[in-house]
Amino acid sequence: MTRSSTSDRPVVDTPLTRHAHIRVPLICGPMYPCSNPELVAAVSKAGGLGIVQPIALTYVHGYEFREGLRRIHALSGGAPIGFNALIEASSKTYHNRMVRWVETALEEGVRFFLTSLGNPRWVCDRVHAAGGVVYHDITEKKWALKGRDGGVDGFVAVNREAGGHTGSRDARALLEEVSDLGLPVVAAGGVGEAAQFRALLDMGYAGVQLGTRFIATTECNSDARYKEAIVRASSKDVVLTERLTGVPVSVLRTPYVERLGTTVGSFARMMFRGRKTKHWIRTWYALRSLRQLKQSSVEGANSDYWQAGRSVDAIHDIRAAGDIVADFAAALLMDTPHISS
Ligand SMILES: Cc1cc2nc3c(=O)[nH]c(=O)nc-3n(C[C@H](O)[C@H](O)[C@H](O)COP(=O)(O)O)c2cc1C
């Protein structure tokens, strides 16, 4: 990691800053339903990388997909952005829509893609042909191997501190587990302040992806009660629930979550295990959770399902997203000893 304070050059040079053409190796991760265009644009404009979550952009924030990308580009002054392709082939219709979204994103100049689940091969083929890069979400080595075999250029390693769907490893163990694959690794989970960001880069990560910290910003248009709950919460208030999507999701423990409980019933559990029934029940849960999260996080319904990670411990205020990127960048220029990668 080489440092520079010149304003148009990367603040540090890492594989991520080179791949994504950004100044600060800091990603605002895709967040359903919280990734509104203003938030994505603010992070990119400040020198980080905002990632578009296409279902949030279209279904929650009401944009036709191409128009939404153009809106983000207009707000960010054309700074690089990324696109999140959740590629698990749950249905042919969904797959076809994702193929069209990837094509449109490429046409609109997006060159950084983050794939989740599934086999990323088709995305890599298409994106590499256009000169772009693909990073793949992983929580353990078997998914990293699958991603590498699919041709990805790097990983986003989701650890057990993360908001949304969590991993099971801590950040150091996960990095050690996949570092022999020789691809850049971005840490996701648990980071709410600049010192933690710098520590992960010093550990050998090529960048850091944040979610929860960027919800508590002026640009994020999620419900005010949700943002305030993040500011007030400590990691003791974060629980894992299976009731949203059928697999553990990290959320704030609200009275609503307490009332509902955090585990699925025995019938659903049996359906999730069955070879024939698991696809059906996953789709049903996924569609239901899209509606529930939109209502609770953006529309202010009283069903308080608020996804957040253990990074809440270091989040004490609602700030402008660009100021967060600037503070994190400044921490990289501070002259304290660090390990080069
Ligand atoms: C509200 C919320 C929604 C999320 N939605 C997605 C998503 O749609 N796709 C995805 O790949 N990751 C999603 N994530 C994970 C984030 O992109 C990021 O990896 C994670 O939040 C990092 O952990 P942190 O919250 O501790 O910073 C979500 C996280 C949160 C908090």
Side-chain angles (χ1 to χ4, degrees):
M1 164 168 114
T2 315
R3 291 178 286 170
S4 156
S5 56
T6 318
S7 65
D8 53 343
R9 292 230 308 270
V11 176
V12 289
D13 177 43
T14 77
L16 177 68
T17 58
R18 268 172 264 141
H19 271 150
H21 307 285
I22 54 176
R23 290 183 57 247
V24 189
L26 178 63
I27 298 176
C28 174
M31 287 186 283
Y32 182 88
C34 305
S35 296
N36 52 293
E38 293 75 14
L39 175 60
V40 176
V43 174
S44 285
K45 190 174 184 181
L49 186 73
I51 298 203
V52 172
Q53 211 294 348
I55 307 175
L57 183 65
T58 53
Y59 172 62
V60 179
H61 302 292
Y63 287 87
E64 188 275 322
F65 183 63
R66 188 187 300 275
E67 175 212 340
L69 294 183
R70 289 185 176 172
R71 165 97 178 127
I72 295 169
H73 274 136
L75 290 169
S76 71
I81 56 171
F83 173 82
N84 181 218
L86 203 156
I87 51 176
E88 189 181 41
S90 52
S91 76
K92 192 86 191 139
T93 317
Y94 175 78
H95 173 74
N96 291 343
R97 181 173 307 160
M98 187 53 76
V99 171
R100 283 200 305 277
W101 277 338
V102 168
E103 286 304 327
T104 306
L106 286 168
E107 284 164 19
E108 294 298 319
V110 179
R111 290 294 179 270
F112 187 95
F113 289 74
L114 172 61
T115 48
S116 311
L117 307 172
N119 184 342
R121 168 59 66 191
W122 69 266
V123 183
C124 291
D125 287 348
R126 196 53 206 93
V127 170
H128 289 159
V133 294
V134 180
Y135 278 45
H136 190 59
D137 261 343
I138 59 157
T139 49
E140 55 180 287
K141 189 155 188 174
K142 73 173 171 186
W143 307 124
L145 289 168
K146 198 169 171 187
R148 183 203 55 187
D149 295 346
V152 301
D153 306 282
F155 302 120
V156 169
V158 182
N159 62 49
R160 66 177 178 207
E161 314 262 280
H165 287 112
T166 58
S168 58
R169 313 274 204 269
D170 73 29
R172 189 180 292 278
L174 192 47
L175 181 63
E176 279 167 11
E177 194 175 320
V178 300
S179 56
D180 64 323
L181 300 181
L183 293 175
V185 189
V186 172
V191 176
E193 65 187 3
Q196 297 168 314
F197 167 64
R198 176 161 178 164
L200 288 170
L201 292 184
D202 289 349
M203 198 187 281
Y205 277 103
V208 179
Q209 172 165 293
L210 270 58
T212 308
R213 171 63 273 196
F214 282 120
I215 298 171
T217 56
T218 45
E219 291 86 351
C220 179
N221 66 5
S222 290
D223 185 43
R225 289 188 312 124
Y226 180 12
K227 296 188 199 182
E228 281 151 19
I230 287 175
V231 170
R232 270 197 319 271
S234 83
S235 53
K236 291 199 187 83
D237 304 312
V238 174
V239 291
L240 293 177
T241 180
E242 301 173 341
R243 291 193 70 106
L244 257 172
T245 61
V247 292
V249 176
S250 177
V251 297
L252 295 179
R253 188 199 352 234
T254 58
Y256 181 76
V257 169
E258 279 194 329
R259 201 161 59 244
L260 241 60
T262 52
T263 51
V264 294
S266 51
F267 176 72
R269 196 171 298 283
M270 193 181 73
M271 299 279 279
F272 274 113
R273 283 210 199 97
R275 208 162 48 85
K276 289 196 178 134
T277 49
K278 70 180 176 197
H279 294 293
W280 181 86
I281 185 103
R282 270 191 209 152
T283 307
W284 188 79
Y285 264 77
L287 292 175
R288 193 187 61 160
S289 70
L290 290 179
R291 196 183 61 245
Q292 281 182 320
L293 287 170
K294 180 182 184 216
Q295 288 169 343
S296 60
S297 307
V298 181
E299 293 170 355
N302 274 333
S303 50
D304 299 335
Y305 259 134
W306 292 331
Q307 298 174 87
R310 302 172 71 83
S311 52
V312 289
D313 272 337
I315 303 173
H316 308 299
D317 49 10
I318 294 170
R319 309 185 59 198
D323 289 350
I324 295 171
V325 179
D327 276 5
F328 277 47
L332 299 180
L333 294 171
M334 272 169 21
D335 217 8
T336 47
H338 69 284
I339 305 157
S340 281
S341 60

